Amino acid sequence: MNGKTLLPQMYGDPRGYKYNGKPEFYHYTGNLFLDRLTEIYLWSMDRRDLERIPTNQGWIGFLEGKNPTYPEKELAADFEHIRKRMELMRNDDTSPDTRLADYLLGIVPATTDTLVQLTLGGYFAAGRIWGLHSRQRALDPEKRRSGLPQDVAALVEMMTADSATVTLVNTNQLEPRVVDVQAGGYGEHQFTAVSANGKKTLLQSPVLAVRLAPGAGSRLTLSMNRYVNRPTLAQPWNRAPLESQ
């Protein structure tokens, strides 16, 4: 329409919900549902699906090598978000008996979407449809919990249909650190090889233990088969080795 692509946002009787006439698509807008299209691409990793979304901006632009400053800008924005929410919290003059139950959702300072993208290669789309589809998941084998161990940093730099490239760094200059890297948010993927410093090691496992010497870091290319294991919420140390399904 007038040279612009418009998509319908509604389906049903165009007169409104209280009517029951012949259903049709209506309420056309410029919302192209890019979050949904991004999810489709990240599931399929089909370059034809990538053609439907912008590749020069946002996280996808970063993965495509076209937006190199994305991590710094987004993390800075997250810190600003936290500061503003904490200010709202400090200045809030409501009391428990006068606020609605969901009122505090607008004050919660925690923000994790950028960290999920950069450290896990995962995507939480707008709309809060939050199933963790990610390429990897960091686990702390010493404290036996999810998340990066203390002093360990991670950055997922590239993803293809059968691999993910991640840099792991131990910022502690005195002590080594061990991080378990799981293939997928729920062990649904399977590592087939890991390449580092020009050396490739074959393996067949949903979990890889990485030891980082003090102050050391490395860029790992994790070859994998996606969605071949039965997903599980159990941590690696609480389950038998996963079998390919």
Side-chain angles (χ1 to χ4, degrees):
M1 180 180 293
N2 298 325
K4 295 183 179 181
T5 299
L6 305 180
L7 295 182
Q9 313 298 297
M10 308 291 286
Y11 181 77
D13 189 322
R15 294 175 297 174
Y17 289 118
K18 66 179 180 179
Y19 297 98
N20 195 27
K22 181 180 179 181
E24 61 182 82
F25 289 107
Y26 66 101
H27 187 48
Y28 285 77
T29 77
N31 179 8
L32 302 182
F33 298 100
L34 292 179
D35 281 325
R36 302 286 83 79
L37 295 177
T38 300
E39 286 179 322
I40 291 172
Y41 166 64
L42 292 172
W43 288 328
S44 72
M45 293 306 296
D46 188 324
R47 302 296 290 186
R48 293 172 296 180
D49 291 329
L50 183 62
E51 296 173 1
R52 300 185 176 95
I53 57 180
T55 58
N56 61 348
Q57 61 188 22
W59 179 51
I60 297 298
F62 169 70
L63 293 176
E64 290 294 305
K66 300 177 181 179
N67 189 12
T69 61
Y70 177 80
E72 293 89 346
K73 288 183 177 179
E74 289 302 305
L75 288 175
D78 281 353
F79 283 126
E80 179 65 18
H81 168 90
I82 293 171
R83 284 192 291 269
K84 288 182 177 179
R85 293 299 177 90
M86 290 303 297
E87 183 177 358
L88 287 175
M89 186 182 298
R90 287 190 293 267
N91 296 331
D92 179 45
D93 58 2
T94 65
S95 60
D97 58 339
T98 62
R99 68 173 74 105
L100 295 176
D102 58 357
Y103 170 79
L104 295 178
L105 293 178
I107 298 181
V108 174
T111 176
T112 59
D113 291 8
T114 301
L115 289 175
V116 168
Q117 293 172 359
L118 298 179
T119 64
L120 306 185
Y123 186 67
F124 282 160
R128 293 179 173 33
I129 303 173
W130 286 353
L132 180 57
H133 288 267
S134 68
R135 285 308 185 89
Q136 67 165 40
R137 185 176 180 185
L139 303 161
D140 187 339
E142 180 178 349
K143 295 186 177 179
R144 298 210 163 188
R145 62 168 180 81
S146 299
L148 288 163
Q150 183 177 350
D151 304 321
V152 175
L155 177 62
V156 176
E157 302 176 34
M158 182 183 299
M159 298 193 307
T160 69
D162 58 3
S163 70
T165 300
V166 57
T167 294
L168 296 172
V169 176
N170 177 11
T171 63
N172 190 306
Q173 302 298 307
L174 302 176
E175 301 291 337
R177 291 290 184 262
V178 176
V179 53
D180 283 351
V181 181
Q182 179 175 271
Y186 310 102
E188 67 273 21
H189 308 323
Q190 182 85 346
F191 292 134
T192 59
V194 56
S195 300
N197 301 320
K199 180 182 178 181
K200 183 175 182 178
T201 302
L202 299 179
L203 63 149
Q204 281 294 334
S205 174
V207 181
L208 174 67
V210 179
R211 183 182 185 278
L212 298 167
S218 185
R219 179 179 287 108
L220 307 177
T221 298
L222 304 168
S223 301
M224 65 184 68
N225 292 324
R226 296 187 301 131
Y227 300 110
V228 295
N229 291 325
R230 185 187 301 277
T232 178
L233 294 173
Q235 306 287 36
W237 43 84
N238 291 328
R239 69 179 190 255
L242 292 175
E243 297 179 354
S244 295
Q245 302 300 314

